[in-house]
Amino acid sequence: MGNRWDVKYKNLFQGLYISSFNKESFSDYKMKPPAEPFKIKVIEPVRVPSEQERKEAIRKAGFNTFLLLSDDVYIDLLTDSGTAAMSDNQWAGMMLGDEAYAGSKNFYNLEKSVQDVLGYKYLVPTHQGRGAEHLMYSNLVKPGQLVPRNMYFTTSKVHVELPGGKMVDVIIDEAHDPENTNPFKGNVDFNKLQKYIDDYGADKIAFVNVEMNVNMAGGQPVSMENLRKLREFCNNYKLKIIFDATRSSENAYFIREREKGYENTPIVDILNEMMSYSDGCIYSSKKDCLVNIGGFLATHDKEIFEATRSMVVVYEGLHTYGGMAGRDMEAVARGLREGAQYEYLKYRVNQVRYLGYLLMEAGVPIVKPTGGHAVFLNALKFLPHLARDQWPAQTLSAAIYEDSAVRTMERGAISKGRDSETGENIFPKLELVRLTIPRRVYTNTHMEYTANSVINLYEKREIIPGLKMVYEPKYLRFFQAKFEQLPL
Ligand code: PLI
């Protein structure tokens, strides 16, 4: 039965949405925290360091939250990667690890999970997502080729560049606008893709890369319609489609929530249909599989399978473990199934949305609609007095830590890095701070504590000074760069 929100917002979105989508972006909507579909059996004590300790810790870390000690953090929203709480069923599976070098039974359990949940026939396990990116992209990219993608991701960009390729952006324009509430901001723009084909020729395109619930755009989903059309489009040019399916279960939840025709479809069926439009995928299990380590690539294509399986033994380990222990493969095998359960996903997405709602209610500028794995603060609007090369997002992330011992992450110009040809800094339109919610780890009260800290800073935002970069590593600089505070 629909409630008054359904009626109100359905009209607004011209019948595209089947549920009360996006009501959180309206100021008259009162959201309640979602109830957890689990109870807590084990706890890990955490403490709030004193004001003096926080001040010292962030300076010692060069104002880079990656360089903080975990012991100095109260609520860790740095990443949703490898930070999930596993279930009793997953821990039980860990005890059934078959640590054989070859032919571990856990590999076959994982293979079966991937076949059932994602529908791919072939599986190559890796130690984590970037291991899979390395095998897949170095196999498919030739020097000088382009890889169109619905917005870059840091490790993906590097693994396309290492074999001599270049990643180019083909996401819809709406994705670059934090205020735009398009329900599928992760969609591919076919005009942009067509232009690359027209300008460079289809043989210059290594493959088309599509990320689910696009991380750098704010955790924004891709629609099934877009994927279906992309398959038809790419068939015309005989182009392969490779997914970054890392957050595909959360994307599937949004399809069920927002796309007509999927309102009662089981998540696993949605996932199978999504993957049917690709040739293969890379997958960091550390997100939607609810585990602390692991990754894989999977494919329908025997050629890709054979090429990457012959490489996995060089870089990762034998093709029946690929850098994972047997017990870790079992946890992934079980977590992939658990993470695709509707009730879990509903709680998960709504917990993230609750944090976004609290911030929006207080007028804090965030990327809308709230994404699947994180709330993203718009640092350009939060700290408008800072120039781009005073690194507003880096500054804000450090300031949040100093205020409350909540650890967040810069997702803007520091993450984007430099142009591989000119060496110049790139200043992307999105200069964001990511408040990434680990899965099943924090309570809704933790969300409220976090929101209070961000709101407190927003109220005194004009007295936050910018930063100067004083150390810059060659690759993936956001991990290790160091900064000093500028005078206000
Ligand atoms: O961290 P890995 O190597 O397991 O996975 C790399 C990776 C690939 N694709 C996408 C979309 C990611 O988000 C991703 C890793 N993300 C991290 C670490 C994050 O904090 O978002």
Side-chain angles (χ1 to χ4, degrees):
M1 199 178 73
N3 60 28
R4 67 195 178 95
W5 302 109
D6 291 333
V7 178
K8 181 172 172 187
Y9 298 118
K10 217 180 210 169
N11 293 341
L12 256 171
F13 293 111
Q14 299 161 335
L16 177 61
Y17 315 103
I18 48 83
S19 67
S20 47
F21 160 69
N22 208 20
K23 55 197 178 188
E24 80 276 16
S25 36
F26 295 87
S27 58
D28 57 351
Y29 171 65
K30 295 275 172 271
M31 187 181 180
K32 292 200 176 64
E36 292 83 359
F38 53 80
K39 55 185 179 176
I40 297 165
K41 200 174 327 217
V42 178
I43 60 102
E44 177 185 339
V46 282
R47 72 175 188 108
V48 188
S50 69
E51 196 177 335
Q52 187 56 29
E53 284 174 307
R54 301 195 301 267
K55 206 173 165 158
E56 281 168 19
I58 194 68
R59 278 158 185 77
K60 204 166 160 205
F63 293 89
N64 185 344
T65 53
F66 276 100
L67 302 178
L68 287 166
L69 304 186
S70 162
D71 257 359
D72 290 331
V73 172
Y74 171 47
I75 297 178
D76 204 344
L77 307 186
L78 185 72
T79 178
D80 63 328
S81 182
T83 51
M86 293 207 294
S87 66
D88 50 1
N89 180 48
Q90 286 176 291
W91 280 110
M94 297 279 283
M95 293 304 291
L96 300 175
D98 170 3
E99 307 305 342
Y101 189 86
S104 162
K105 68 180 175 214
N106 310 113
F107 168 77
Y108 296 100
N109 291 345
L110 176 57
E111 188 181 55
K112 183 79 175 57
S113 281
V114 169
Q115 287 167 349
D116 290 349
V117 177
L118 303 176
Y120 291 112
K121 184 168 178 193
Y122 304 112
L123 168 74
V124 178
T126 59
H127 74 285
Q128 61 182 82
R130 68 201 73 182
E133 288 175 331
H134 173 217
L135 301 184
M136 182 72 97
Y137 302 162
S138 63
N139 174 50
L140 294 180
V141 178
K142 307 277 168 292
Q145 281 191 316
L146 301 180
V147 175
R149 173 166 164 135
N150 55 344
M151 203 172 274
Y152 83 104
F153 182 70
T154 53
T155 56
S156 324
K157 179 169 172 276
V158 170
H159 281 295
V160 163
E161 285 169 2
L162 286 174
K166 186 171 180 182
M167 191 167 266
V168 292
D169 190 18
V170 291
I171 202 165
I172 56 173
D173 284 343
E174 288 90 327
H176 294 281
D177 174 4
E179 298 296 322
N180 192 299
T181 57
N182 185 308
F184 290 108
K185 275 172 118 172
N187 279 353
V188 170
D189 182 328
F190 292 102
N191 291 329
K192 291 185 185 171
L193 186 53
Q194 184 72 58
K195 184 145 176 34
Y196 281 113
I197 294 173
D198 293 346
D199 290 354
Y200 294 88
D203 56 338
K204 272 268 181 186
I205 311 286
F207 57 92
V208 178
N209 199 200
V210 181
E211 185 185 333
M212 306 293 135
N213 257 23
V214 185
N215 194 351
M216 302 302 275
Q220 305 294 334
V222 184
S223 73
M224 192 73 91
E225 188 190 16
N226 193 253
L227 295 177
R228 198 179 299 127
K229 284 190 175 153
L230 184 69
R231 181 74 271 174
E232 283 166 25
F233 182 98
C234 288
N235 284 349
N236 292 335
Y237 297 99
K238 296 195 168 42
L239 286 174
K240 288 195 195 306
I241 301 174
I242 302 296
F243 287 169
D244 182 332
T246 295
R247 294 183 181 82
S248 49
S249 298
E250 289 168 3
N251 196 123
Y253 176 82
F254 281 123
I255 288 178
R256 176 160 156 158
E257 186 188 58
R258 299 174 182 180
E259 199 163 345
K260 211 168 187 153
Y262 291 93
E263 50 270 52
N264 297 312
T265 312
I267 296 290
V268 165
D269 293 1
I270 296 177
L271 282 167
N272 268 260
E273 184 182 343
M274 288 161 73
M275 304 308 154
S276 74
Y277 301 125
S278 73
D279 294 281
C281 79
I282 70 93
Y283 202 123
S284 166
S285 310
K286 299 170 73 176
K287 285 80 170 174
D288 281 6
C289 294
L290 302 164
V291 293
N292 307 121
I293 194 70
F296 57 85
L297 69 83
T299 177
H300 309 294
D301 182 321
K302 198 160 181 225
E303 250 180 57
I304 293 179
F305 172 59
E306 285 181 351
T308 49
R309 192 178 56 163
S310 79
M311 281 171 70
V312 76
V313 293
V314 179
Y315 293 104
E316 302 279 322
L318 195 76
H319 58 275
T320 54
Y321 76 87
M324 278 185 281
R327 56 181 171 268
D328 294 327
M329 288 192 283
E330 190 59 36
V332 178
R334 294 176 185 218
L336 179 59
R337 292 183 194 276
E338 264 178 37
Q341 285 170 8
Y342 175 72
E343 284 306 323
Y344 154 73
L345 284 167
K346 183 174 169 199
Y347 144 78
R348 158 72 176 159
V349 168
N350 277 297
Q351 186 181 46
V352 177
R353 187 176 283 169
Y354 180 55
L355 175 59
Y357 161 75
L358 293 174
L359 294 172
M360 255 191 286
E361 277 285 288
V364 174
I366 70 168
V367 174
K368 294 173 193 156
T370 305
H373 66 305
V375 174
F376 289 72
L377 306 177
N378 180 355
L380 294 181
K381 267 201 151 180
F382 202 116
L383 300 174
H385 58 287
L386 299 187
R388 291 301 299 261
D389 65 357
Q390 294 179 344
W391 317 110
Q394 190 76 31
T395 301
L396 182 54
S397 178
I400 294 170
Y401 172 77
E402 196 167 336
D403 183 67
S404 58
V406 172
R407 172 154 66 172
T408 61
M409 184 198 288
E410 185 268 3
R411 291 277 81 153
I414 295 292
S415 294
K416 180 85 184 183
R418 292 176 183 274
D419 186 294
S420 58
E421 281 153 24
T422 65
E424 292 296 315
N425 278 313
I426 307 170
F427 293 108
K429 281 197 188 136
L430 297 180
E431 174 77 8
L432 309 175
V433 172
R434 190 179 72 173
L435 282 63
T436 339
I437 316 302
R439 295 168 181 80
R440 304 192 293 208
V441 171
Y442 291 113
T443 64
N444 294 321
T445 318
H446 288 121
M447 298 301 107
E448 288 160 10
Y449 174 93
T450 301
N452 286 341
S453 166
V454 175
I455 294 165
N456 172 40
L457 278 177
Y458 189 60
E459 281 161 5
K460 52 179 186 191
R461 56 194 178 277
E462 63 284 348
I463 59 163
I464 300 174
L467 297 173
K468 176 176 150 198
M469 189 162 32
V470 292
Y471 168 69
E472 181 178 357
K474 188 168 174 205
Y475 294 114
L476 300 174
R477 65 185 183 180
F478 58 94
F479 284 130
Q480 291 145 353
K482 288 202 162 195
F483 302 82
E484 278 170 10
Q485 211 163 40
L486 291 164
L488 194 62

